[in-house]
Amino acid sequence: MMKIVNVLEVLSSKNEGVFIPMLPFNASSFSTCDITGESPVWEMHPDTDEFFYIIDGEFEMTVLREGVSSTYVAHSGDAFVVPKGVWHKPSANKGCKFIYHTPGQSVHSENPEE
């Protein structure tokens, strides 16, 4: 059975900062979130890429590779993929609504260089 979900209605029904699964997709789901601020931890997905689509606002993703951090900025309508095995930390200082898909394991760390 096919299910149609209005992402903006889903977001308006939950508190900011809640990660909301929306639609099952194979063995995982597409999810959405409305956030303001910076993640307190780094994350990494050792076995899968992670997809993002920015619905509204400005989203920053800081990635860490070989001890060097780089920050990328995405705006409404932008999409991007964080490759598997790359430590990353999201932030949205002005607020952001987005859709994401993480089909695999998530690892978190306060200091990924240790």
Side-chain angles (χ1 to χ4, degrees), residues 2-75:
M2 193 171 92
K3 181 179 179 182
I4 296 175
V5 174
N6 184 296
V7 178
L8 298 177
E9 286 179 11
V10 170
L11 285 168
S12 69
S13 71
K14 302 290 183 184
N15 291 334
E16 185 178 281
V18 175
F19 295 93
I20 310 162
M22 291 186 312
L23 294 167
F25 186 78
N26 296 326
S28 60
S29 68
F30 276 88
S31 302
T32 189
C33 188
D34 178 357
I35 65 167
T36 300
E38 181 178 318
S39 172
V41 296
W42 290 85
E43 67 178 37
M44 187 262 293
H45 312 286
D47 57 350
T48 187
D49 297 336
E50 184 173 31
F51 169 83
F52 289 86
Y53 173 76
I54 310 308
I55 299 167
D56 186 43
E58 184 177 280
F59 191 81
E60 293 184 9
M61 184 64 75
T62 300
V63 297
L64 185 62
R65 287 192 174 173
E66 299 177 8
V68 177
S69 67
S70 301
T71 300
Y72 299 86
V73 179
H75 300 92

Side-chain angles (χ1 to χ4, degrees), residues 89-101:
K89 182 185 259 195
S91 65
N93 294 326
K94 299 176 185 175
C96 181
K97 294 175 176 63
F98 61 94
I99 295 171
Y100 66 99
H101 183 237

